[in-house]
Amino acid sequence: MAIDRRKLLLFAAAAGLRLLLFTAFPSLPDLLTGRVEISTPVTSFKRLQEGLYLYTHNVSPYDGGVFHQAPLLLPLFALLPSPFFTNLLYIALDILSANALMQIASSGEAQSTPLYTSPRHAFKYDSIYIGAAYLFNPLTLATCLGRPTSIFTTLSILTSISSATTAKPIKATLSLSLASYLSLYPILLLPPLLILSHSHLPSPKDSSPQKSLKSHILTHLPLFALSLLLLLTTSTTLLPSPKTAFLPSTYGTHLLLPDLTPNAGLWWYFFTEMFDPFREFFLAVFWLHLASYVPGLCFRLPRQPLFVLVTLLGVFAIFKPYPSIADTSLYLALLPLYRHIFPLMRYTFLSTCTLLYATLLGPAFYHLWIYAGSGNANFFYAITLVWSLGLSVIVSDSLFAVLRDEWEVERPEMKGKDVRQI
């Protein structure tokens, strides 16, 4: 098999840059590990080290309420003999994520699906450029240097999408089950992923597309559940008693939000101010709001399941309980797949300036609150609202552009004309 020299050069440059930053600035990883924009209570590398210390001393890592991550990460990191090999692991994860992303781009799924072809399908970026945009994105670099465990989730999600676009539904299902095991929220990506993987399978001649899709779902949904159950069962064999202590400490933390450490999301401040009698009600409302995007997008865009996945990842980067810049970098890495809709987007300049504004002022506002003592929690929460606003504009604007692109196929006479609601 011929080696793509451009890809090899790209991966070598990205790995070399990361290795240089790790070695030339040895204090930088520890500095970024402590940043709330990078590390959250459910992805923090420092908390992973705490759990690993307890695990290697035959104590339950979930004692004390500090460690909230998946148990299978513990034996993996216990095998790494030194921090240098830990750095190499994170570099490799980034390279593998970029490779999966480039495979998605090479499939052409964003421009042309088995059920829909954009009239602007010729406008697209080369997969090398998309991979480079991901690998050299400052958010991706900061995430790699900060070493949160969210990188494992990113790789699993990209691998599942890449497998779905190349007619490998079993691998796609297993990869998404691993992502759900690590972070819980990817389970919401299962419906559009099954639709995407089904669209690339040969259509049986003796059944309708609806029956074929139903059969596909009924086949792979048990596979997803069994693989997730296997991961959970394996986890219980690795831990000292109590064996199931990781369930409330990992997935319970996602669902019930007991740790209100500040982060780049919207939940922590809201529930800090929330009266206890109303806490359960608003937890249900917030989770219902997050899950409600899944059926709506699947029903509205059944011909473009990849865009449904991309949009959901953007929604999760805004509204999930513990978001970080790793979620934003994943969404921004997938968005260039839809180069052909960029001319239809209306607020690109506004959203870009908003994100840059929040990126520059976020650390300053956090410093004023925590270290200088000249501000309060409102300072940092206000800038996270601006950050979420910028992402919301990008998500909604890209959704408008895709709907407009579909509409111009149905109404070609309206191409290029302004549309106003009366």
Side-chain angles (χ1 to χ4, degrees), residues 2 52 55 110 124 131 138 155 226 236 278 302 313 341 344 365 373:
L52 186 60
Y55 173 74
K124 60 181 180 180
L155 174 59
L226 288 174
T236 61
F278 303 100
L313 289 172
I341 68 166
L344 299 176
F365 280 19

Side-chain angles (χ1 to χ4, degrees), residues 7 29 81 114 129-130 179-180 193 195 207 235 246 282 288 318 357 394-395 409:
K7 181 186 288 190
Y129 298 137
I130 292 178
S180 303
L193 184 79
I195 296 174
S207 65
S235 299
F246 73 95
F282 279 100
L288 182 62
I318 304 169
Y357 172 84
I394 294 178
V395 171
V409 172

Side-chain angles (χ1 to χ4, degrees), residues 85-100:
F85 288 94
T86 302
N87 299 340
L88 290 181
L89 172 63
Y90 276 90
I91 293 173
L93 291 173
D94 261 2
I95 299 301
L96 292 173
S97 297
N99 185 60

Side-chain angles (χ1 to χ4, degrees), residues 53-275:
Y53 177 84
L54 296 175
Y55 173 74
T56 54
H57 287 76
N58 202 30
V59 179
S60 175
Y62 300 98
D63 288 347
V66 174
F67 182 63
H68 303 298
Q69 300 170 50
L72 289 182
L73 293 172
L74 297 171
L76 171 62
F77 281 88
L79 294 174
L80 300 175
S82 68
F84 176 75
F85 288 94
T86 302
N87 299 340
L88 290 181
L89 172 63
Y90 276 90
I91 293 173
L93 291 173
D94 261 2
I95 299 301
L96 292 173
S97 297
N99 185 60
L101 178 64
M102 293 167 67
Q103 290 177 356
I104 299 171
S106 300
S107 70
E109 176 72 18
Q111 293 78 30
S112 179
T113 73
L115 299 176
Y116 176 79
T117 299
S118 170
R120 301 172 176 83
H121 61 88
F123 297 96
K124 60 181 180 180
Y125 291 124
D126 189 273
S127 62
I128 291 292
Y129 298 137
I130 292 178
Y134 171 74
L135 287 172
F136 295 103
N137 183 344
L139 300 181
T140 308
L141 286 170
T143 301
C144 181
L145 293 174
R147 298 164 296 177
T149 53
S150 52
I151 295 182
F152 290 89
T153 306
T154 296
L155 174 59
S156 299
I157 291 174
L158 288 175
T159 302
S160 67
I161 298 175
S162 172
S163 301
T165 58
T166 52
K168 299 175 183 176
I170 295 179
K171 183 180 178 181
T173 305
L174 295 178
S175 298
L176 190 66
S177 68
L178 176 60
S180 303
Y181 166 79
L182 293 171
S183 298
L184 185 64
Y185 78 89
I187 196 172
L188 296 174
L189 299 175
L190 183 60
L193 184 79
L194 291 178
I195 296 174
L196 177 62
S197 61
H198 172 262
S199 66
H200 287 272
L201 297 177
S203 301
K205 298 180 180 180
D206 56 345
S207 65
S208 63
Q210 290 79 9
K211 291 183 178 180
S212 176
L213 176 60
K214 183 178 179 181
S215 175
H216 181 76
I217 293 174
L218 293 178
T219 300
H220 290 84
L221 192 58
L223 175 63
F224 177 85
L226 288 174
S227 59
L228 191 57
L229 181 61
L230 178 62
L231 289 169
L232 295 174
T233 305
T234 305
S235 299
T236 61
T237 64
L238 300 174
L239 299 173
S241 298
K243 297 289 187 179
T244 59
F246 73 95
L247 292 174
S249 295
T250 53
Y251 309 116
T253 301
H254 286 277
L255 292 171
L256 303 177
L257 207 76
D259 193 321
L260 296 176
T261 302
N263 54 70
L266 304 175
W267 291 42
W268 67 272
Y269 186 84
F270 187 87
F271 285 97
T272 298
E273 303 295 331
M274 176 61 58
F275 293 111

Side-chain angles (χ1 to χ4, degrees), residues 386-409:
V386 176
W387 172 264
S388 299
L389 173 65
L391 286 176
S392 299
V393 172
I394 294 178
V395 171
S396 59
D397 203 19
S398 61
L399 181 58
F400 164 83
V402 165
L403 293 175
R404 172 76 195 224
D405 188 65
E406 283 194 354
W407 185 67
E408 288 184 359
V409 172

